Amino acid sequence: MKIILLFLILLVPVVNNAQEKYTRTLKLMGCRFDITVIASNEAEGNTYIDIAAKEISRVENLISEWDSTTQISEVNRYAGVKPVKVDKEVFDLIVRSIKISELTDGAFDVTWAAMNHIWKFDGSMKRLPTQDEIATAIAKIGYKNILLNEKDLTVYLKLKGMRLGFGGIGKGYSADKSAALLKSMGVAGGLISASGDITAWGKQPDGRPWMIGITNPFNKDKIFAWFPFEGNSIGTSGDYENFVEFNGVRYTHIIDPRTGWPVHGIASVTIFGPNAELSTALTKAIFVMGKDIGINVIKQLKGIEYVVVDDHGKIYTSDKIKLDPVKL
């Protein structure tokens, strides 16, 4: 009897529970997304990636100011006219955006989109905007002119011409949402990168941590530092990403919402934080506030680490960030 049982046990097929990582690059929200998941096989991996992509598109269909059918477009359309009811998810995102605006004294401002028609970084700009054009646009910027009704979930922009825009936070938020959805489904590990706004969880199949590279802002084809992922999210912004040049001067896509002009002095900012939404917003704010003020603000926040590169190539890091000497 023992021999028969042993024979039957030997006949039972060995199940291979090995996990692999599967990656796909997609264009979503107008930018590059790299979605990596840990799965048992390719079919399962593709299913998870499809789910993540669908979630990112769902977020875009809520908050895009370029799609006339979204709730944010309706809020913008009725600026200075009437309040607009939105989903609680959208309402809460606006609330958090306002809190970041308050924290950074307006260096990050979710109403910055009033500048969209002034500065264009798609190759269509033929001249610098005039000071009058700048002044007209920034008169419509100001997070304090957003009126929220929590009971009715309505949003009202007080001034005609005001516009909400989530370009400085939306990709990070969508990465967070898609990652949370996959984690809730039991996906053991993954990494979602939205053009530098990254959230990740778990580890690679071989047990190693995910590695995050920071682009050299003076040579965007090279990485100047690698960091193991340790349970946080990362946001990165650089003046090399989108810019225009006039009379030999480069104007970056990161605009100071208080002046209406592109910022100077910083080449790259990387923030390690609890989620990609906050990390991404803080990178833009540091650019606008400048190195000294920006770093001082970040030092007052718990759980936030930074790597800042100024336009001379000097690197500044928080105490917990250890970098080997490197020349950029």
Side-chain angles (χ1 to χ4, degrees):
M1 186 66 177
K2 290 182 180 179
I3 294 176
I4 294 174
L5 285 175
L6 178 61
F7 179 70
L8 290 175
I9 290 172
L10 292 174
L11 285 179
V12 175
V14 176
V15 178
N16 183 5
N17 289 320
Q19 300 266 289
E20 299 289 341
K21 63 180 179 182
Y22 300 91
T23 300
R24 193 188 310 164
T25 299
L26 299 166
K27 186 172 183 180
L28 299 164
M29 301 184 77
C31 72
R32 171 175 170 158
F33 273 76
D34 295 290
I35 303 174
T36 299
V37 297
I38 303 302
S40 299
N41 53 65
E42 185 175 2
E44 183 178 69
N46 284 331
T47 296
Y48 290 146
I49 291 173
D50 288 341
I51 290 170
K54 186 176 180 180
E55 176 67 0
I56 293 165
S57 295
R58 183 192 69 80
V59 171
E60 180 179 20
N61 291 334
L62 282 177
I63 67 173
S64 171
E65 72 266 24
W66 300 107
D67 182 345
S68 62
T69 65
T70 67
Q71 294 180 20
I72 292 302
S73 288
E74 187 174 7
V75 171
N76 292 342
R77 195 158 42 243
Y78 286 104
V81 179
K82 68 175 183 178
V84 173
K85 184 176 177 61
V86 298
D87 290 354
K88 189 175 188 307
E89 178 181 357
V90 175
F91 189 91
D92 290 345
L93 179 59
I94 295 171
V95 169
R96 294 195 301 274
S97 297
I98 291 173
K99 288 181 179 178
I100 298 172
S101 297
E102 293 171 342
L103 172 68
T104 61
D105 195 26
F108 172 88
D109 194 319
V110 72
T111 66
W112 72 275
M115 297 297 303
N116 273 340
H117 67 289
I118 300 296
W119 292 97
K120 296 182 181 297
F121 300 92
D122 57 3
S124 64
M125 280 190 73
K126 303 302 181 185
R127 63 171 179 83
L128 283 173
T130 67
Q131 189 56 51
D132 286 344
E133 290 171 333
I134 294 288
T136 299
I138 63 174
K140 308 294 175 58
I141 296 176
Y143 66 92
K144 293 181 181 179
N145 288 321
I146 305 173
L147 301 184
L148 302 178
N149 184 315
E150 186 174 6
K151 179 182 177 182
D152 297 331
L153 294 179
T154 61
V155 182
Y156 177 51
L157 307 182
K158 287 176 61 176
L159 307 176
K160 285 190 175 183
M162 282 187 69
R163 290 176 58 86
L164 295 179
F166 291 96
I169 198 171
K171 294 190 296 294
Y173 174 66
S174 68
D176 289 335
K177 291 293 289 184
S178 55
L181 178 59
L182 293 181
K183 284 190 283 187
S184 73
M185 298 176 64
V187 180
L191 184 149
I192 298 176
S193 173
S195 297
D197 304 331
I198 303 170
T199 191
W201 70 101
K203 294 184 177 181
Q204 299 188 60
D206 59 6
R208 292 181 302 158
W210 300 104
M211 297 299 293
I212 307 299
I214 301 180
T215 299
N216 182 337
F218 304 104
N219 185 347
K220 63 181 181 180
D221 295 324
K222 292 186 177 181
I223 301 296
F224 81 84
W226 288 94
F227 296 93
F229 172 78
E230 297 178 347
N232 51 12
S233 296
I234 298 170
T236 298
S237 293
D239 67 355
Y240 55 86
E241 295 172 346
N242 292 294
F243 58 89
V244 293
E245 287 189 2
F246 292 104
N247 301 319
V249 179
R250 183 165 68 169
Y251 297 87
T252 179
H253 71 293
I254 302 175
I255 310 295
D256 186 336
R258 301 165 300 186
T259 68
W261 287 92
V263 296
H264 297 280
I266 293 179
S268 172
V269 177
T270 298
I271 293 292
F272 300 77
N275 56 67
E277 173 191 312
L278 177 62
S279 298
T280 302
L282 290 176
T283 63
K284 308 297 192 298
I286 291 177
F287 259 94
V288 172
M289 290 186 287
K291 171 182 63 67
D292 294 335
I293 296 176
I295 288 177
N296 184 57
V297 169
I298 295 302
K299 284 182 175 180
Q300 299 176 47
L301 305 177
K302 291 183 179 180
I304 304 292
E305 307 297 333
Y306 62 85
V307 177
V308 176
V309 182
D310 70 18
D311 56 4
H312 296 295
K314 188 172 182 180
I315 302 171
Y316 304 82
T317 68
S318 50
D319 293 340
K320 291 185 179 180
I321 298 292
K322 304 301 179 184
L323 277 181
D324 293 329
V326 59
K327 184 176 180 180
L328 299 180

